[in-house]
Amino acid sequence: MKSISRRIGVNRRVLLSALAAPAVLSGLRLTAAQAQQLPERSVAPGPLPGGPPLASWNEGPAKQAIHDFVRATTDAASPKLVPPEERIATFDQDGTLWVEHPIYSQLVYCFDRVPTVIKAKPGLANVEPFKTVLSGDRDAIAKLSLRDLEEIAAATLSGMTVDEFDTEVKKWLAAAQDPRWKRPYTDLTYQPMQEVMSYLRANGYKTYFVTGGGQDFVRVYSERVYGIPPEQVVGSVGATTYGYDKDGKPVLTKEPKLLINDDNAGKPESIHMMIGRRPHAAFGNSTGDRQMLEYTGAGGGARLMMLVLHDDAQREYAYGPAQGLPDTKVGTFTQALYDEAKEDGWSIISMKSDWKRVFAFE
Amino acid sequence: MKSISRRIGVNRRVLLSALAAPAVLSGLRLTAAQAQQLPERSVAPGPLPGGPPLASWNEGPAKQAIHDFVRATTDAASPKLVPPEERIATFDQDGTLWVEHPIYSQLVYCFDRVPTVIKAKPGLANVEPFKTVLSGDRDAIAKLSLRDLEEIAAATLSGMTVDEFDTEVKKWLAAAQDPRWKRPYTDLTYQPMQEVMSYLRANGYKTYFVTGGGQDFVRVYSERVYGIPPEQVVGSVGATTYGYDKDGKPVLTKEPKLLINDDNAGKPESIHMMIGRRPHAAFGNSTGDRQMLEYTGAGGGARLMMLVLHDDAQREYAYGPAQGLPDTKVGTFTQALYDEAKEDGWSIISMKSDWKRVFAFE
């Protein structure tokens, strides 16, 4: 029997996280009440024009590593100069560029889309797992199985044209709010990491996302929120099918089939497929980023590999389980990953001590 | 039983063409004798700096269509102005940018690689279809089945790291020659089409390949020969697997598995996956490009769709079967495609009447 996990446009790690995080469901209540009401908000990414780079970083080894890398690879006199066309930097998104706790934003989107799916197919209202989601019973929803979540993702991320999906996600982003900060999810990007991207771009680097999240989903806001154009977003890919609508107009329809799972070993494989060059810098925050950093480090010359460690429960969240931090299924940073980083010369970014501020709105 | 056609890094259309074109095998004899001897040659793409655009084009509706499109989409006063980030132009390669007859160059590469494969696995020398290929018996080789060709492609395009493949293809390109022109395959690009790419790039367009050929193969030479960097080459994709070599170094190994078949409907699907924007201009020459041109044309504003018609047996080749030209399995241009082009306002490029010269070396 074919596994249902091959039929969805969001990867298995993303779905597993839902099982570990009942708090996500607060997002569900918001949409019915507030959709269409909130204006779209945007946080200006990066430092102020003319300001110093990395302004939100404290002095320390992490900031120094970034400066050293940029100098080594872009100073014309450097023996490790990297030609402009080879200046590629790849970034994980969830937990590296924006908040991933208590659960990935794309999964909140999936839950929030359930009522719309039911409207199109009213018969589903009495079918599990949709019935439970519609009930709003948080305890029951928290007990949904992985298979249930896969079914919800498959139903909410497919069946529409890519243009319709784009419109739906835009609408959702304008309305939905993170329950802790009471702000749009796209406000919850890490200002210091935005500054890293701006700094690299100012030095000729092309910045790419290499995310386990859905490529179509991230592309909707990546240019506005991060300055990363759609063609530089590499993510998990749901299949599309070319066809014609009732007027004979060509359309691409999103299918409930996962084509690329852009996580773990899938990250270097996708980098090869989508970019065709080895990055000189790679940024992540969890075991899903390990192979991307290894692959980056295996190139010659100057390379920069960095991992964000969430050790700041007060300003954001604290989880590992590396370094005795609380364990989590969402963005797991194991002690083994920490040890590999130390051994291979990767830099650890301590959210608590390396960042002056976490968000632009602070 | 799983079809072997899913196991290869080159698409089915490419393989089918081999069945129709025994003349390819002349390429096979060359390599044994001449490999490693010929210097790498390169043709300067595009017009001379400062020269007029489209210098190798005769005046006529095709040249006019290109000029009109560029003016309409880049003139600041034009109502159809396209913002710079949306200026995307996609090009088929085989038959649109370089010679595809009597057979796709990548297939010649596959045949030429057989001896090397045998050297690594001597046992295969007595196993079909390798035994027949090694025999040099052109009649027997011409009778190989599609399944045989798939097996040859699978064996020659997989089993090595992506870096090793890159090195192998570079070596082959430097040594192999087209039997008719006695020149490296990379010399056989169409000068007028190189000028179209240069002209579009000079006007802010990003030029992409969207080819049924193997992405890894085309990326080896696309930047040098066409000015198209690897990250702008979209093609058929063979899977890779991330792993470690005997020294523990991370490597990506090419697998005998076709992940993306970038032909027909696969072209717009790949454009969505790899670029995430709809092109404003698309160029092709066969039925495999139909959906890409339809998808391009379905966007709003000014769009340019063009098809190269091979109607010049003297300077290149003549095939259709559109307009009464000889039929072919390699780069088929049907009358139905011709009629659709006329109906939808696509431009036909007559190689015979629209091009002053075909190659830069003429």
Side-chain angles (χ1 to χ4, degrees):
Chain A
M1 200 188 76
K2 194 178 170 187
S3 163
I4 198 171
S5 69
R6 300 294 306 165
R7 290 183 34 230
I8 51 166
V10 60
N11 79 34
R12 198 178 163 87
R13 189 185 70 166
V14 166
L15 288 170
L16 278 168
S17 76
L19 294 173
V24 61
L25 303 168
S26 53
L28 187 64
R29 295 172 304 166
L30 265 173
T31 306
Q34 306 189 328
Q36 330 297 343
Q37 293 178 17
L38 294 170
E40 188 169 2
R41 298 170 64 169
S42 163
V43 175
L48 295 174
L54 308 181
S56 301
W57 289 71
N58 290 317
E59 299 304 322
K63 182 177 183 179
Q64 194 59 46
I66 302 167
H67 275 308
D68 290 348
F69 169 78
V70 169
R71 207 168 302 126
T73 60
T74 64
D75 184 331
S78 164
K80 293 179 174 172
L81 179 69
V82 173
E85 68 274 16
E86 292 287 346
R87 293 183 195 167
I88 304 285
T90 56
F91 293 82
D92 171 58
Q93 186 195 211
D94 295 306
T96 300
L97 252 306
W98 76 352
V99 175
E100 66 183 347
H101 267 222
I103 199 171
Y104 303 105
S105 305
Q106 188 180 358
L107 264 186
V108 182
Y109 171 80
C110 290
F111 280 111
D112 286 355
R113 285 292 300 172
V114 167
T116 311
V117 168
I118 302 295
K119 201 178 283 180
K121 296 180 184 172
L124 289 179
N126 295 311
V127 176
E128 293 296 355
F130 304 99
K131 190 178 170 184
T132 293
V133 174
L134 282 177
S135 73
D137 178 345
R138 295 180 64 180
D139 291 337
I141 296 173
K143 283 177 190 145
L144 291 174
S145 69
L146 175 61
R147 196 189 164 86
D148 290 334
L149 294 175
E150 288 177 338
E151 200 160 336
I152 291 163
T156 53
L157 297 175
S158 68
M160 69 292 287
T161 69
V162 298
D163 292 338
E164 288 163 356
F165 180 74
D166 189 85
T167 302
E168 288 164 9
V169 175
K170 275 200 183 104
K171 242 191 264 180
W172 181 82
L173 288 171
Q177 287 197 326
D178 175 88
R180 175 170 166 189
W181 283 279
K182 310 275 189 294
R183 286 177 169 274
Y185 290 97
T186 48
D187 275 11
L188 302 182
T189 69
Y190 306 136
Q191 176 60 21
M193 294 303 294
Q194 291 269 20
E195 292 169 5
V196 173
M197 293 207 298
S198 297
Y199 184 38
L200 287 172
R201 286 196 289 259
N203 284 279
Y205 276 86
K206 269 171 101 167
T207 52
Y208 282 82
F209 271 132
V210 177
T211 171
Q215 194 168 274
D216 284 349
F217 185 82
V218 178
R219 279 175 170 170
V220 175
Y221 56 85
S222 62
E223 187 146 35
R224 171 177 64 85
V225 174
Y226 297 105
I228 294 187
E231 62 269 31
Q232 286 165 226
V233 174
V234 176
S236 292
V237 179
T240 63
T241 299
Y242 180 83
Y244 307 89
D245 69 12
K246 58 179 167 34
D247 302 319
K249 189 183 166 182
V251 289
L252 289 170
T253 303
K254 287 174 70 65
E255 301 295 340
K257 182 188 167 195
L258 185 65
L259 202 62
I260 305 286
N261 187 348
D262 190 32
D263 205 15
N264 301 302
K267 290 205 172 191
E269 291 163 8
S270 280
I271 287 170
H272 176 70
M273 179 176 81
M274 299 282 289
I275 309 176
R277 303 187 197 259
R278 190 192 301 262
H280 276 264
F283 301 79
N285 76 299
S286 77
T287 52
D289 302 310
R290 180 170 67 83
Q291 290 89 339
M292 174 169 73
L293 269 64
E294 288 175 349
Y295 180 66
T296 300
R303 307 274 166 172
L304 179 66
M305 287 69 66
M306 304 192 87
L307 289 169
V308 174
L309 182 67
H310 293 258
D311 56 359
D312 193 337
Q314 199 174 351
R315 295 191 300 178
E316 203 243 12
Y317 293 100
Y319 50 95
Q323 302 297 92
L325 292 163
D327 201 357
T328 180
K329 280 186 186 169
V330 183
T332 312
F333 192 139
T334 60
Q335 188 60 39
L337 180 65
Y338 192 93
D339 295 342
E340 182 171 350
K342 287 292 170 192
E343 191 172 330
D344 291 349
W346 304 350
S347 298
I348 305 290
I349 298 167
S350 162
M351 190 173 268
K352 192 169 185 174
S353 42
D354 284 318
W355 291 357
K356 283 186 190 163
R357 56 176 182 166
V358 175
F359 302 112
F361 56 77
E362 281 176 357
Chain B
M1 202 187 75
K2 195 177 170 190
S3 163
I4 199 172
S5 69
R6 300 295 305 165
R7 292 182 32 230
I8 51 166
V10 61
N11 80 34
R12 199 179 163 88
R13 188 186 69 164
V14 167
L15 289 171
L16 278 168
S17 75
L19 295 174
V24 60
L25 302 170
S26 54
L28 188 65
R29 293 173 305 167
L30 265 172
T31 306
Q34 306 190 329
Q36 328 299 342
Q37 292 178 17
L38 294 170
E40 190 169 1
R41 298 170 64 167
S42 164
V43 176
L48 295 173
L54 307 181
S56 302
W57 289 72
N58 290 316
E59 298 305 322
K63 182 178 183 179
Q64 194 59 47
I66 302 167
H67 274 309
D68 289 348
F69 169 77
V70 168
R71 207 169 302 125
T73 60
T74 64
D75 184 331
S78 165
K80 292 179 175 172
L81 179 69
V82 173
E85 67 274 14
E86 293 286 347
R87 292 183 195 168
I88 304 284
T90 55
F91 293 81
D92 171 57
Q93 187 195 209
D94 294 307
T96 300
L97 253 306
W98 76 350
V99 175
E100 65 183 347
H101 266 223
I103 199 171
Y104 304 106
S105 304
Q106 187 179 359
L107 263 188
V108 182
Y109 171 80
C110 291
F111 280 110
D112 285 354
R113 285 292 299 172
V114 167
T116 311
V117 168
I118 301 294
K119 203 178 283 182
K121 296 180 185 174
L124 288 179
N126 295 312
V127 177
E128 292 298 354
F130 304 99
K131 190 177 170 183
T132 295
V133 174
L134 284 177
S135 74
D137 177 345
R138 295 180 63 180
D139 291 337
I141 296 174
K143 282 177 191 145
L144 291 174
S145 69
L146 175 61
R147 196 190 164 86
D148 289 333
L149 295 175
E150 289 176 338
E151 200 160 336
I152 290 163
T156 53
L157 298 174
S158 69
M160 68 292 288
T161 69
V162 298
D163 292 337
E164 287 164 355
F165 180 74
D166 189 85
T167 303
E168 287 164 9
V169 175
K170 274 199 184 105
K171 241 191 265 180
W172 180 82
L173 288 171
Q177 287 197 325
D178 176 88
R180 175 170 166 188
W181 283 279
K182 309 275 190 293
R183 287 177 168 272
Y185 290 96
T186 48
D187 275 12
L188 302 182
T189 69
Y190 306 136
Q191 175 61 20
M193 294 304 294
Q194 291 269 21
E195 292 170 6
V196 173
M197 294 207 298
S198 297
Y199 184 38
L200 287 171
R201 286 196 289 260
N203 283 280
Y205 276 86
K206 269 171 102 165
T207 50
Y208 283 82
F209 270 131
V210 177
T211 171
Q215 193 169 273
D216 284 349
F217 185 82
V218 178
R219 278 175 171 170
V220 175
Y221 56 86
S222 62
E223 188 146 35
R224 171 176 65 87
V225 174
Y226 297 105
I228 294 188
E231 62 268 31
Q232 286 164 226
V233 174
V234 176
S236 292
V237 179
T240 63
T241 300
Y242 180 83
Y244 307 89
D245 68 12
K246 58 178 168 36
D247 302 319
K249 189 183 166 184
V251 289
L252 289 170
T253 302
K254 287 176 70 64
E255 301 293 341
K257 182 188 167 196
L258 185 65
L259 202 62
I260 306 285
N261 187 347
D262 191 33
D263 204 15
N264 301 303
K267 290 207 173 191
E269 292 163 7
S270 280
I271 287 170
H272 176 70
M273 179 177 82
M274 299 282 290
I275 310 176
R277 306 187 195 260
R278 191 193 301 262
H280 276 263
F283 301 78
N285 76 298
S286 78
T287 52
D289 302 310
R290 179 170 68 84
Q291 291 89 340
M292 174 169 73
L293 268 64
E294 289 175 350
Y295 180 65
T296 301
R303 307 272 166 174
L304 179 65
M305 285 71 65
M306 303 192 89
L307 288 169
V308 174
L309 183 66
H310 293 257
D311 57 358
D312 193 338
Q314 199 174 353
R315 294 191 299 177
E316 202 243 12
Y317 292 100
Y319 50 95
Q323 301 298 92
L325 292 163
D327 201 358
T328 180
K329 280 186 185 170
V330 183
T332 312
F333 191 140
T334 61
Q335 188 60 40
L337 180 66
Y338 192 94
D339 294 341
E340 181 171 351
K342 288 291 170 191
E343 192 171 329
D344 292 351
W346 305 349
S347 298
I348 306 289
I349 298 167
S350 161
M351 192 172 267
K352 191 169 186 174
S353 43
D354 284 318
W355 292 356
K356 283 186 190 163
R357 57 175 180 167
V358 176
F359 303 112
F361 57 77
E362 281 176 357

